[in-house]
Amino acid sequence: MKHHLNYGLAFCLVLGIGALAMGAENEPNPIRTVHANVQMRPGGEFEEVDVPVYESPNSVPNLAAEGVAITDDDLILGVVADGEAVAFPVRFLSSYEVVNGRVGKIPVAPSW
Amino acid sequence: MYVRRSQGEELTFDFALGLIHDNLLISDRETNSLWSQLHGKAIAGPRENEALRMVASVQTTWRQWKKMHPASRIGMTPDDWGRAYWYRDPGKPEREPEHDTTALGLGFSEGTEAIFIPLSAIEDLDYPLELGGKSFVLHGRPSEMTAWIDDAAGQLVTTVMAYESGWRSFFPDTEVFVASP
């Protein structure tokens, strides 16, 4: 399922920026919530809230490179494990922040 | 990159819209726990205080990666390219001008020690690196917006590509790499 998290988050997951200035356009509905003591904006105070959770792709396939319109300049997150090398394009990851894939038989969660 | 398994159970992660120390969160469907994306540790829910195991990964360009691994496959939902992003014009983000991509670097911890290696501080060279009483080799490739670290046996070690501020939020006493003249 493709959805665009139009929060202005882009590549901030690992990067620690957490731009939580949300835009309302195309905003998907959360699939559940988790009650926790967190910040809801960068630099914000911690507060008890129901944190909304949005669906990320599951069972992401590992495609043959020949059939993918990737460019040399595309950034990827690459991993070699269990005898298989897989590159997860950042353009794909950054739409979801985290996805669920598999490298060899190892279940992995690449994130951005 | 994390192995999505905890207590022998395979987990499925979704994105959670909140922050811990200014870093984003993920949540697993199986237990509804909340995890720090940068630290890989659960901060709430049934798995609180558990840590996910990392698998070593490298962020780089497709150009560089396919040189290293010509048989690599590509992990993505077919044709799901999302949006155009900042790296089309490094240093001039298309959507988020507050992000300065020149400030990216590699975070690495060993034992109780941590180091942040700004990409701006290195060249396309290999550097010896000592941390936590162990020897490593830092492979600098800032021209491909990447760097990676091997241990003394030549095995890739786990690192995180991050901004220094994000890295410092979890490793406040981190060293910052300075290349020897």
Side-chain angles (χ1 to χ4, degrees):
Chain A
M1 177 187 299
K2 178 176 180 178
H3 59 210
H4 294 300
L5 302 180
N6 190 20
Y7 307 141
L9 283 167
F11 63 106
C12 51
L13 259 193
V14 170
L15 310 182
I17 296 301
L20 292 182
M22 290 180 281
E25 296 176 19
N26 303 321
E27 186 174 330
N29 294 319
I31 56 174
R32 63 180 188 277
T33 61
V34 184
H35 191 78
N37 189 29
V38 301
Q39 300 162 287
M40 292 307 288
R41 57 185 171 80
E45 295 294 319
F46 281 77
E47 52 186 311
E48 292 279 341
V49 293
D50 290 323
V51 180
V53 177
Y54 297 87
E55 185 176 21
S56 289
N58 193 9
S59 303
V60 170
N62 297 334
L63 307 173
E66 293 73 24
V68 178
I70 192 169
T71 71
D72 280 356
D73 288 333
D74 269 306
L75 278 183
I76 60 91
L77 197 59
V79 59
V80 180
D82 198 24
E84 185 175 26
V86 179
F88 295 92
V90 166
R91 268 200 283 165
F92 169 60
L93 297 179
S94 57
S95 288
Y96 301 103
E97 317 300 340
V98 64
V99 304
N100 299 278
R102 199 172 297 275
V103 180
K105 294 179 180 175
I106 301 174
V108 295
S111 58
W112 181 251
Chain B
M1 188 180 305
Y2 297 108
V3 175
R4 48 184 181 87
R5 189 182 286 136
S6 168
Q7 298 184 15
E9 181 180 13
E10 190 167 306
L11 302 178
T12 308
F13 283 101
D14 296 302
F15 166 61
L17 190 59
L19 300 170
I20 178 81
H21 302 309
D22 291 348
N23 287 273
L24 291 173
L25 301 169
I26 56 179
S27 173
D28 70 88
R29 296 177 197 175
E30 288 74 14
T31 74
N32 215 28
S33 297
L34 207 54
W35 307 72
S36 158
Q37 191 273 347
L38 189 145
H39 211 214
K41 194 170 179 180
I43 64 157
R47 299 290 160 89
E48 186 171 356
N49 293 323
E50 280 190 33
L52 295 170
R53 186 165 69 84
M54 288 188 81
V55 58
S57 61
V58 175
Q59 177 195 293
T60 186
T61 58
W62 172 242
R63 178 192 303 106
Q64 173 79 11
W65 180 255
K66 69 182 178 182
K67 278 185 200 168
M68 299 164 73
H69 304 285
S72 178
R73 298 178 75 83
I74 297 178
M76 65 178 293
T77 309
D79 301 321
D80 189 355
W81 281 108
R83 300 173 295 259
Y85 276 93
W86 56 276
Y87 54 85
R88 291 296 183 191
D89 189 1
K92 295 181 180 176
E94 184 173 322
R95 296 181 62 248
E96 302 190 4
E98 69 271 24
H99 295 322
D100 177 7
T101 57
T102 62
L104 280 172
L106 199 65
F108 173 47
S109 65
E110 174 63 38
T112 59
E113 298 183 19
I115 190 167
F116 182 78
I117 302 151
L119 292 183
S120 61
I122 56 176
E123 299 179 46
D124 284 8
L125 296 171
D126 295 339
Y127 301 86
L129 182 68
E130 300 284 332
L131 194 71
K134 295 182 180 177
S135 298
F136 302 91
V137 178
L138 164 65
H139 301 278
R141 297 294 184 276
S143 65
E144 301 289 347
M145 290 196 67
T146 191
W148 67 94
I149 296 172
D150 289 339
D151 64 17
Q155 295 296 307
L156 185 69
V157 300
T158 56
T159 56
V160 174
M161 189 65 74
Y163 282 117
E164 184 174 340
S165 59
W167 181 252
R168 276 191 186 281
S169 68
F170 289 95
F171 298 95
D173 297 325
T174 188
E175 296 176 42
V176 177
F177 181 82
V178 178
S180 300

